[in-house]
Amino acid sequence: MSDSFALLLRQQSLWFAALPESLQLQLLAQAKTIQLDTGQRLFSRGDEFDGIYVLLSGALLIAGVHSSGREALLTIVEAGDWIGEIALFDRKARTHDATASVACRLLHLNNSALQQLVQQDPLWWQRFGQLLTEKMRLVFQALEDMSLLPVSVRLARRLLMLCRLHQQDERYLIPVQQEQLGQLLSLSRQTINQLLQQLAASGVIRTSYAQIEVLDLNLLKQAAEIALN
């Protein structure tokens, strides 16, 4: 694996950057690249464990489908995020669907590569466990935000996160539907629509079908940084 991947991951992934360089290279020596087209499925709920992944570019939608057919979008995986490590520990089936919302490039460590790493150095179990604890912290933070932050602040923060995924030159074009935003924030589509209209009236964003363009990033940051008394 080339040095360019190591440099990219050091910039994108705090977990990877914290590893000693020798371990970074050891991990990358076992990894293989994967390309996904828009709409292509990486794995589905119920699939057997086939390794872990890190997203280098693009965006992945993590969703679940209820028996009624309704889909729940849980999160959007960003560049530098690792996925799949839950099944590494419990060896159970995949918990959700992972689908490319735009063209993606990933690194894949399959089961054989992971077993080789932990056999060479059992401390890899602890290091992979840190990926799980990082996600637990994010889950608890999201639950706290839902309880304490105004819905307008939660929306602004989510849009800021999506800006990092979809910057084109100096423009921020976010290909997301209002229903998807509602699912991510546990808000109704009507509430999302009202909040977006308020941001549009303030000159922060412009909305069109299945797309949001951020017109003023500084104003969006101000909307996301309202302090609680």
Side-chain angles (χ1 to χ4, degrees):
M1 194 64 61
S2 69
D3 292 339
S4 61
F5 285 112
L7 178 60
L8 182 62
L9 278 177
R10 287 173 194 139
Q11 297 171 343
Q12 294 178 335
S13 170
L14 293 176
W15 175 80
F16 182 85
L19 295 173
E21 184 177 358
S22 60
L23 295 182
Q24 294 177 2
L25 297 178
Q26 185 183 21
L27 184 147
L28 291 176
Q30 301 289 342
K32 296 182 179 180
T33 58
I34 292 178
Q35 303 281 346
L36 295 179
D37 295 327
T38 302
Q40 187 174 351
R41 186 69 57 85
L42 178 63
F43 54 74
S44 301
R45 169 180 280 176
D47 285 353
E48 293 184 1
F49 174 71
D50 63 348
I52 66 174
Y53 305 84
V54 60
L55 185 64
L56 299 175
S57 62
L60 284 169
L61 305 180
I62 305 299
V65 179
H66 189 263
S67 58
S68 64
R70 292 191 60 189
E71 183 177 70
L73 180 61
L74 301 182
T75 189
I76 298 178
V77 177
E78 307 175 25
D81 287 346
W82 295 78
I83 60 172
E85 69 277 6
I86 291 176
L88 169 63
F89 284 87
D90 63 17
R91 296 289 161 170
K92 294 182 180 180
R94 296 296 189 189
T95 57
H96 295 88
D97 302 333
T99 307
S101 64
V102 295
C104 294
R105 183 173 63 162
L106 307 98
L107 289 182
H108 179 212
L109 285 158
N110 62 28
N111 187 43
S112 176
L114 292 167
Q115 292 304 314
Q116 185 172 339
L117 286 175
V118 298
Q119 287 172 8
Q120 292 173 348
D121 181 358
L123 283 178
W124 273 110
W125 283 117
Q126 181 184 25
R127 298 172 187 122
F128 290 134
Q130 290 172 343
L131 289 174
L132 281 176
T133 58
E134 286 180 7
K135 287 189 177 177
M136 286 301 299
R137 290 178 183 276
L138 291 175
V139 169
F140 283 125
Q141 184 62 57
L143 291 173
E144 181 180 322
D145 288 350
M146 288 179 62
S147 299
L148 299 177
L149 293 181
V151 291
S152 59
V153 176
R154 289 168 53 203
L155 174 61
R157 291 188 174 186
R158 174 56 67 172
L159 291 176
L160 276 177
M161 292 175 63
L162 294 174
C163 280
R164 300 205 305 268
L165 297 174
H166 300 290
Q167 182 176 5
Q168 300 178 15
D169 297 325
E170 295 183 358
R171 302 179 68 196
Y172 298 92
L173 301 173
I174 304 172
V176 64
Q177 300 176 10
Q178 293 185 19
E179 184 176 0
Q180 291 177 322
L181 280 176
Q183 291 173 355
L184 287 172
L185 297 169
S186 298
L187 299 173
S188 69
R189 187 182 183 281
Q190 290 75 16
T191 298
I192 291 293
N193 181 265
Q194 293 173 0
L195 294 172
L196 290 176
Q197 287 183 18
Q198 294 172 10
L199 289 174
S202 300
V204 180
I205 64 170
R206 177 165 52 227
T207 61
S208 58
Y209 177 73
Q211 181 174 276
I212 297 171
E213 180 179 3
V214 176
L215 302 177
D216 194 317
L217 190 63
N218 288 328
L219 285 178
L220 183 60
K221 289 179 179 178
Q222 291 176 21
E225 294 174 355
I226 297 176
L228 294 174
N229 294 323

